[in-house]
Amino acid sequence: MAGSVDPPDGTPDGTPEGLPGGGEDEYRSVVFDESFVRAAHLQELSAQERLDDHTRPVRDRPHHGGPGPEPPGPGGRRRGSRAGALLLVLVVAMVFAAAVHLGSRQAYPPPLDQRAEPLRMTLLPLVPQGAVPGGRPADLYAHSPAAEYRSGAAGVTLPPVRRTTHFSEGQVMAALSTAKDYLVQSSLDPDVLTGGTVRPVRLLLDPDQLAQFDRSTDAPSTDGRHATAGWLVRFDPARVALADPAVRVHGSLRVAETSPGVLEVTSDHTFVYVVRPAAAPGSDTANASLFTVRRELRFHFDREDLRLHRAELVTSHLQAGPLDCAADLSGALRPLLSGQRATSTTPPPTDPHASDPATATPLCAPLSPAAQPTLPPTTGTPPPQAP
């Protein structure tokens, strides 16, 4: 039987002779063959490479025999950092450019608040052709065009609400609701009608118009800008009282967008009041009469107005009767009452050389008989009274 033969120079690696199985058998499990070395993912750098860049002692080895990455040369890590920073700057610049481009394609939002302009107003007295019909409130309403009108705020109805190009449905509703509140406070509130207060109306106005409003109510004039009747309905409490607080109302509201920042609401309503002489006892309504006011108002609302529930009153056109043609409409209204006749049916002559404002003398128009109640013969009309 042949046994193992030692090399002539002894066992490899200086392994002592006589060990069982020899040194080669003992370390065979930890010897790396060539295929294992080729499959390794890491490769130790050479001595020269470690001198050039000693930050990493190894480098990645290519897979499946492909070419591996080149070892980083001097400053390779700094070059990689600079490349990453440059890429980040480019990305940020592209995002910023895209934001600027998208922003430039959209219209800039209008300013939240625009300065309100002064109110422009016109007032037209309607003159009766004969004596003013009188009677009890129920009879007057029943035999007049106001018989089918609604009572109070129920007569100020809102149209269907739809969004516009630049305003939401909620904003359109806010504009219409504010306009309705203004009409109710300025035309139906008993305290406002009798001259007791102006505060409910004032609270609904744009602050830019408050100075004009205050002058119109404190020191009214017929200059087309400072008449009380341009803002609200007020009767002279020394001469006129309400015989029935339930005012009849009929009319409409319209809304439109006039610019990207402004909503416009136009109102056109007829208000029919039952009035009596202020000197008569409160329960004496047998000699009451009707007084009709038609108000055409135009409101503007910007986004700040909508948020704060206020309005800019742009124009106001009022027709009211029965009135005397020479009636002063700058302050409180003084209706012709039951049985009274107009003393003047044509406006007085105007002197163009006078120093008074050109609009100080009011124009007037005839009040159609169809606008007044037609009472049955049994009701009758009281004897004419001096205005």
Side-chain angles (χ1 to χ4, degrees), residues 314-338:
V314 181
T315 60
S316 172
H317 180 65
L318 177 140
Q319 302 175 11
L323 285 168
D324 197 283
C325 188
D328 181 5
L329 300 185
S330 61
L333 300 177
R334 297 177 178 179
L336 294 174
L337 301 174
S338 172

Side-chain angles (χ1 to χ4, degrees), residues 286-347:
N287 292 329
S289 59
L290 297 185
F291 185 75
T292 304
V293 175
R294 181 172 179 177
R295 302 184 74 193
E296 299 176 54
L297 306 178
R298 185 158 58 95
F299 303 89
H300 278 181
F301 299 88
D302 58 27
R303 287 177 171 78
E304 190 74 358
D305 293 330
L306 296 174
R307 185 177 68 85
L308 297 177
H309 192 66
R310 68 191 190 194
E312 174 190 348
L313 188 55
V314 181
T315 60
S316 172
H317 180 65
L318 177 140
Q319 302 175 11
L323 285 168
D324 197 283
C325 188
D328 181 5
L329 300 185
S330 61
L333 300 177
R334 297 177 178 179
L336 294 174
L337 301 174
S338 172
Q340 294 180 344
R341 296 175 180 268
T343 59
S344 175
T345 58
T346 59

Side-chain angles (χ1 to χ4, degrees), residues 7 9-19 22-24 27:
D9 297 330
T11 59
D13 300 327
T15 303
E17 298 180 8
L19 290 176
E24 182 178 356
Y27 293 99

Side-chain angles (χ1 to χ4, degrees), residues 176-234:
L176 289 169
S177 298
T178 304
K180 176 176 179 176
D181 289 346
Y182 187 92
L183 290 168
V184 170
Q185 298 296 342
S186 64
S187 308
L188 300 176
D189 188 331
D191 291 334
V192 173
L193 295 176
T194 56
T197 184
V198 297
R199 180 175 173 79
V201 181
R202 194 179 190 275
L203 291 174
L204 294 171
L205 288 172
D206 190 292
D208 294 335
Q209 294 187 312
L210 294 182
Q212 182 187 9
F213 176 83
D214 292 340
R215 178 179 168 185
S216 301
T217 54
D218 296 339
S221 66
T222 56
D223 60 358
R225 294 293 181 93
H226 298 97
T228 304
W231 302 92
L232 52 88
V233 177
R234 175 195 283 178

Side-chain angles (χ1 to χ4, degrees), residues 120-273:
R120 303 184 302 276
M121 59 185 71
T122 57
L123 311 173
L124 182 66
L126 301 178
V127 183
Q129 304 304 295
V132 176
R136 298 186 180 279
D139 295 332
L140 294 172
Y141 276 140
H143 296 89
S144 75
E148 303 300 326
Y149 291 1
R150 294 184 177 183
S151 179
V156 185
T157 57
L158 301 183
V161 177
R162 299 182 180 87
R163 64 168 296 135
T164 66
T165 304
H166 298 93
F167 290 90
S168 67
E169 183 176 312
Q171 290 173 317
V172 173
M173 174 59 78
L176 289 169
S177 298
T178 304
K180 176 176 179 176
D181 289 346
Y182 187 92
L183 290 168
V184 170
Q185 298 296 342
S186 64
S187 308
L188 300 176
D189 188 331
D191 291 334
V192 173
L193 295 176
T194 56
T197 184
V198 297
R199 180 175 173 79
V201 181
R202 194 179 190 275
L203 291 174
L204 294 171
L205 288 172
D206 190 292
D208 294 335
Q209 294 187 312
L210 294 182
Q212 182 187 9
F213 176 83
D214 292 340
R215 178 179 168 185
S216 301
T217 54
D218 296 339
S221 66
T222 56
D223 60 358
R225 294 293 181 93
H226 298 97
T228 304
W231 302 92
L232 52 88
V233 177
R234 175 195 283 178
F235 297 109
D236 184 353
R239 300 183 59 180
V240 181
L242 292 175
D244 186 352
V247 182
R248 300 293 180 94
V249 186
H250 177 72
S252 63
L253 286 167
R254 301 187 306 275
V255 62
E257 180 181 314
T258 58
S259 73
V262 175
L263 276 176
E264 180 178 279
V265 175
T266 304
S267 69
D268 184 358
H269 289 81
T270 300
F271 302 88
V272 182
Y273 306 88

